[in-house]
């Protein structure tokens, strides 16, 4: 058994580092998960949620289901408890702290995916009620709090895959009318409802998710780019026939269709303040240097002294400006897929073979 808790301080303590060292050779942990557990302790509480998300993705890929469930449960707890009242979130509003000083909670698409993956794990154990609750929460996290501008539109794209899977859970819970409502919403993304005889569920997670990058003169705006080498199709061989898995959600579109973040506005104001102080500092420094030299040449000590004062004020202003940090937070849950696909099938025999 391995606990996922690290110290509550933002930076790793000596005890955290010692724990990380022990995890490097812990025989009770799957070898491919040890680096993720180590990173959880190395990077402290500030990145704990992010590292739990990464650990969950790696555990799912390695079919270490209990590790994935525990990591996602801890990440979802963090998501629900972290908010604007958090001390480090308040610090991120200051001109003198970069946005990434706050505890990582993730952008809406990352939080939605945490619930989506936990829902899939509940499906695996046929816990239909908890799975349905997770798929509902996918949509709740998707509610936009962004600001629409000419360059940044709010699209509010629903998660069709979550709607479809919520419908699947409703059918298992004998709530057909609720299931039909969910599947009706999912058809907007060309996901057809299952037939009454479908008992096999295929969920495909394809490619690599969007990558966060800083934009703007001082990296103050959060932007995204697509990861290269995207898989565009998955085919399933069901016994002797082939079927393509319909693709629904695109995480790049989910990430970029949310308008301007509140922190983008804050970071822009930080950048403008820093740029203004840099300009003022340059003017004072250059003007002061000129006045000092000019006063010395003509023997005017008053002008020279004033020039020195302006030069010193300019240097001080530049010094303050250099400590300001408007950079956007580009920490990324980098093990997410690019696309989500869903297909349901009717078993044709007691032994049904699927090949991807």
């Amino acid at each position: 058994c391995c606990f996922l808790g690290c110290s509550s301080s933002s930076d790793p303590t000596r005890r955290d580092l010692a724990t990380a060292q022990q995890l490097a050779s812990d025989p009770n942990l799957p070898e491919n998960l040890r680096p993720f557990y180590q990173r959880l302790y190395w990077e402290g509480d500030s990145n704990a949620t992010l590292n739990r998300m990464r650990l969950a993705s790696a555990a799912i890929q390695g079919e270490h289901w209990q590790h994935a469930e525990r990591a996602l449960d801890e990440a979802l707890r963090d998501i629900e408890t972290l908010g604007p009242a958090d001390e480090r979130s308040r610090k991120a509003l200051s001109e003198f702290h970069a946005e990434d000083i706050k505890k990582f909670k993730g952008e809406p698409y990352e939080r939605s995916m945490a619930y989506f993956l936990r829902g899939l794990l509940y499906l695996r154990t046929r816990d239909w009620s908890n799975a349905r609750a997770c798929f509902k929460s996918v949509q709740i996290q998707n509610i936009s709090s962004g600001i629409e501008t000419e360059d940044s539109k709010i699209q509010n794209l629903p998660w069709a895959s979550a709607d479809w899977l919520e419908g699947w859970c409703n059918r298992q819970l004998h709530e057909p009318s609720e299931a039909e409502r969910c599947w009706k919403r999912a058809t907007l993304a060309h996901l057809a409802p299952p037939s009454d005889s479908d008992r096999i569920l295929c969920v495909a997670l394809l490619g690599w998710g969007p990558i966060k990058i800083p934009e703007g003169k001082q990296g103050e705006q959060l932007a995204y780019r697509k990861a290269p080498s995207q898989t565009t199709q998955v085919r399933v061989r069901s016994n002797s026939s082939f079927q393509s898995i319909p693709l629904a959600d695109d995480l790049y579109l989910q990430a970029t269709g949310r308008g301007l973040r509140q922190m983008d506005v804050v970071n822009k104001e930080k950048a403008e303040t820093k740029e203004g102080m840099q300009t003022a500092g340059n003017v004072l420094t250059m003007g002061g240097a000129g006045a000092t030299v000019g006063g010395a040449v003509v023997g005017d000590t008053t002008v020279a002294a004033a020039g020195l004062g302006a030069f010193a004020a300019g240097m001080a202003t530049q010094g303050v400006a250099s400590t300001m940090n408007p950079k956007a937070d580009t920490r990324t849950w980098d093990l997410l897929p690019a696309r989500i696909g869903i297909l349901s099938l009717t078993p044709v025999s007691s032994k049904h073979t699927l090949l991807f």
Side-chain angles (χ1 to χ4, degrees):
C1 177
C2 181
F3 297 98
L4 298 184
C6 55
S7 69
S8 59
S9 62
S10 59
D11 299 316
T13 64
R14 184 174 298 179
R15 181 179 178 181
D16 289 336
L17 296 176
T19 302
Q21 189 65 30
Q22 294 171 1
L23 292 173
S25 56
D26 189 335
N28 296 317
L29 290 178
E31 187 174 356
N32 69 307
L33 297 186
R34 291 174 194 170
F36 294 93
Y37 276 106
Q38 283 185 288
R39 195 168 181 178
L40 178 63
Y41 286 87
W42 274 334
E43 297 185 3
D45 192 48
S46 181
N47 282 347
T49 306
L50 173 60
N51 285 321
R52 288 175 178 127
M53 290 171 167
R54 288 169 169 165
L55 170 59
S57 292
I60 290 172
Q61 290 174 12
E63 299 183 6
H64 303 298
W65 307 119
Q66 290 185 344
H67 291 271
E69 290 167 357
R70 189 161 57 244
L72 283 173
D73 286 341
E74 293 289 327
L76 294 179
R77 180 206 63 189
D78 295 343
I79 288 171
E80 294 297 336
T81 56
L82 290 177
D86 175 73
E87 179 183 357
R88 296 182 69 82
S89 296
R90 291 195 297 269
K91 284 185 177 181
L93 301 175
S94 166
E95 288 90 348
F96 302 100
H97 293 287
E99 183 187 353
D100 62 8
I101 192 175
K102 67 184 180 182
K103 294 180 181 179
F104 181 89
K105 185 176 180 178
E107 295 303 318
Y109 79 95
E110 292 168 309
R111 300 196 294 269
S112 289
M113 279 302 298
Y115 280 102
F116 184 84
L117 293 179
R118 190 62 183 97
L120 291 184
L121 293 175
Y122 279 126
L123 284 182
R124 179 180 169 273
T125 59
R126 298 176 180 271
D127 187 342
W128 312 119
S129 294
N130 276 322
R132 179 173 64 177
C134 283
F135 296 131
K136 285 180 179 289
S137 294
V138 170
Q139 308 292 6
I140 293 172
Q141 293 296 324
N142 191 48
I143 297 174
S144 177
S145 59
I147 303 169
E148 186 164 75
T149 67
E150 186 175 342
D151 297 324
S152 186
K153 300 295 185 181
I154 296 178
Q155 299 180 37
N156 273 340
L157 297 173
W159 290 78
S161 54
D163 277 332
W164 197 98
L165 290 171
E166 183 186 339
W168 183 270
C169 294
N170 283 322
R171 187 172 78 169
Q172 307 304 321
L173 293 168
H174 308 292
E175 298 181 20
S177 60
E178 290 298 320
E180 291 300 328
R181 289 192 188 95
C182 294
W183 289 327
K184 185 176 181 180
R185 294 194 299 267
T187 56
L188 298 176
H190 308 292
L191 285 181
S195 68
D196 292 339
S197 59
D198 284 354
R199 296 293 182 270
I200 298 173
L201 178 61
C202 303
V203 179
L205 306 178
L206 290 73
W208 297 102
I211 301 169
K212 296 176 186 175
I213 56 173
E215 283 191 347
K217 290 182 180 179
Q218 302 181 54
E220 70 274 12
Q221 299 296 302
L222 178 63
Y224 297 89
R225 64 176 174 86
K226 288 187 176 182
S229 302
Q230 299 290 353
T231 304
T232 58
Q233 186 181 38
V234 175
R235 300 183 71 197
V236 177
R237 181 180 178 181
S238 176
N239 285 343
S240 59
S241 63
F242 285 89
Q243 293 192 56
S244 294
I245 297 182
L247 300 184
D249 298 306
D250 183 323
L251 268 68
Y252 177 79
L253 295 180
Q254 289 289 352
T256 57
R258 309 201 54 80
L260 203 64
R261 303 179 308 147
Q262 296 289 344
M263 278 305 301
D264 287 329
V265 177
V266 172
N267 289 336
K268 182 180 179 181
E269 292 174 352
K270 290 184 188 181
E272 290 172 348
T273 301
K274 179 173 183 174
E275 188 172 349
M277 293 192 71
Q278 287 174 330
T279 300
N282 290 336
V283 170
L284 285 170
T285 301
M286 295 177 64
T292 301
V293 172
V297 169
V298 300
D300 190 333
T301 56
T302 302
V303 172
L308 283 173
F311 182 84
M315 292 297 292
T317 302
Q318 288 178 333
V320 172
S322 69
T323 64
M324 294 180 172
N325 196 337
K327 188 176 180 182
D329 184 2
T330 56
R331 292 174 294 178
T332 307
W333 185 359
D334 43 15
L335 296 177
L336 286 177
R339 300 292 303 272
I340 300 173
I342 294 178
L343 177 69
S344 60
L345 300 167
T346 300
V348 295
S349 66
S350 59
K351 292 185 178 180
H352 196 98
T353 302
L354 292 179
L355 296 175
F356 294 86

